[in-house]
Amino acid sequence: MTVPFSPREELGVTNIPPRPDSWVRHQNVAPDWSALPQQTVIEIVAKGCLEDPERPAIIIDGGPTMTRREFLDRCQRFAGYLSDKVKPGDRVVMMLDNRLEFMIALFGIIANRATMVSIAPTAMQYDAGHIVKDAQPTVAICGSAQKPIIDAVRANVPAMAHVIVVDGEEPDGLKPYEDAGEPFDFLKAACQREDIVTVYYTSGTTGAPKGCMLHHGWWLRVIDIDLRLFRRGWQDRQLCCLPFYYADPAIQLLTSLASRGTMVAMRRFSVSRFWEVVAQYDATEILSIASIPALLMKGEPGPTEKDHRIRLAIHAGLPKELHAEMVERYGFHWHNQYGSTEGGVMSRVPHHMADELIGTGTMGVEPPGVTIRLVDDNDVDVPPGEAGECLIGGPDLYAGYLNRPDVTTEANRGGWYHSGDVARRDERGLLYFVGRKKEIIRRMGENISATEVEGVLRSHPKVIEAAVVPVPDTLRGEEVKAYLQLKPGEQLSPEEVIAFCRQNLAAFKIPRFIEYRETDFERTPSMRVQKQGLIKEKDDLRQGAWDRETGKVQQ
């Protein structure tokens, strides 16, 4: 594995433009690393569990509550089982629903200095197959529902010697493995800060998703920043309503363990049960993404909406038009935040300015230790008010893309991580999201690679060419639209296209809109489909397209 720069290296330490005194800053933030003196993720787990063993570590809605004592014991037992099956640097793919065993397995992998590679439990053979082939794992961990997918793609991975199936009642889905070896003492783990802990596949612009490698330092930095920006204690309970295969739930759990709090996890987000869960489990904080606020606002008002202890909600991409109504309806602040898998927490609305910034749409400003530059296409800084690409600098950013040193070098050119996101600053230094340079469709918080979906569509024997573009959507942010050119004389109904996609793609990647082309697409000099021409072809991209939700062509 080649990494073109040390993950401990501080990107952007040179050529940092001076920050004007008039710009907004976060206030009352403790010094770096004051909230998290631990040196590895496993040290957080071990010390957090041993410090307060009888306090709940995780509460699963409708499922078990696990104390820190039992959680550490199960993690150490599973780590003991894995100890002779993986070696430092080995990769373990995990394809599992929101069950306690996910977190047990995660830390068991990390303690052995192996790397967890995350796969959505809804992935199908095409997208899961790409990850497995690229990551070349030695072990796979999956649910019984996901085992057929793992079995189908296993032929591409000769090194995969073990498939561990999580089955039966929670939290005993790993118990046969936990009981098969000697416990691994986490206090004696030999983890190094530069060990690659996790790999999350992020959607790319010119090919299939690429694996973003995160080391211990990345996780420690994100948790330290979060705890310094918003102090927490034993009385706090963070509500997790996101899939465990994201990084965010593990961040919430580790933040809770480091601050003596508890994570409350839903199996999946539900509008009808959301406030009931908040009240039932005494949650004090919410982390949300994408369409969650819009979906909640569409729900019927109820008495539990304000009968709670919520102190704060943090959201990525808060809809400014709903912001004031949300604060009024639910009785607490929602703080907008900007982040990415590569950069972690990159900006957040300052806590002391929450009232003033309601409804402005700002992403806030960088936390201490992070620098964002806005630049033009030549990496020259743009003045306040003008839009530019976000370049990220700071310590402990991501460790590069798995098997892609060339892409990593390009993304980090000049010592800055080039995010592909476009933003602007106002005269006070507050950041506002403008759009994305990357060809990514963002649907309900999920990053979808247009190239990946196109690859599946082109693989159909009746399709000559395919082009995928985003369609703005007030509820989901963006929807997926596919343009198809069929072979002469062939017929392929939209329903057949959807059925084909369901066999090869996760559900959230399946196009909602389909439009057929009788002639070839307009192309660039390099023979790529000119998608900007498609997007500008009509004011409403839904017009003339078959809509999967209605089963009809929109007029």
Side-chain angles (χ1 to χ4, degrees), residues 441-510:
I441 300 166
R442 189 163 176 82
R443 181 184 185 276
M444 297 190 72
E446 300 279 7
N447 286 332
I448 302 170
S449 167
T451 305
E452 181 186 20
V453 180
E454 288 163 355
V456 169
L457 293 170
R458 289 193 193 104
S459 71
H460 194 286
K462 294 184 179 182
V463 173
I464 293 178
E465 181 61 287
V468 170
V469 300
V471 175
D473 184 85
T474 55
L475 180 62
R476 300 178 178 91
E478 291 176 340
E479 285 280 15
V480 180
K481 178 177 180 179
Y483 292 86
L484 296 178
Q485 180 187 3
L486 303 182
K487 292 180 179 180
E490 293 286 3
Q491 291 186 343
L492 183 66
S493 70
E495 291 85 357
E496 289 174 302
V497 174
I498 299 305
F500 181 76
C501 288
R502 284 202 176 105
Q503 295 174 1
N504 293 285
L505 291 168
F508 65 85
K509 301 177 184 178
I510 297 173

Side-chain angles (χ1 to χ4, degrees), residues 348-370:
R348 184 183 292 179
V349 167
H351 196 57
H352 71 281
M353 299 180 69
D355 287 324
E356 177 186 348
L357 298 178
I358 290 175
T360 63
T362 180
M363 305 185 296
V365 294
E366 307 95 310
V370 177

Side-chain angles (χ1 to χ4, degrees), residues 92-104:
V92 179
V93 294
M94 184 137 68
M95 192 177 182
L96 193 60
D97 294 307
N98 280 24
R99 298 178 54 130
L100 260 166
E101 292 91 346
F102 186 106
M103 296 300 177
I104 293 169

Side-chain angles (χ1 to χ4, degrees), residues 275 296-302 305-306 308 324-332:
W275 296 109
L296 288 174
M297 291 295 287
K298 287 181 177 294
E300 289 295 324
E305 288 183 355
K306 284 193 174 180
H308 53 66
E325 188 180 352
M326 289 162 55
V327 174
E328 172 63 27
R329 178 170 170 178
Y330 302 128
F332 56 85

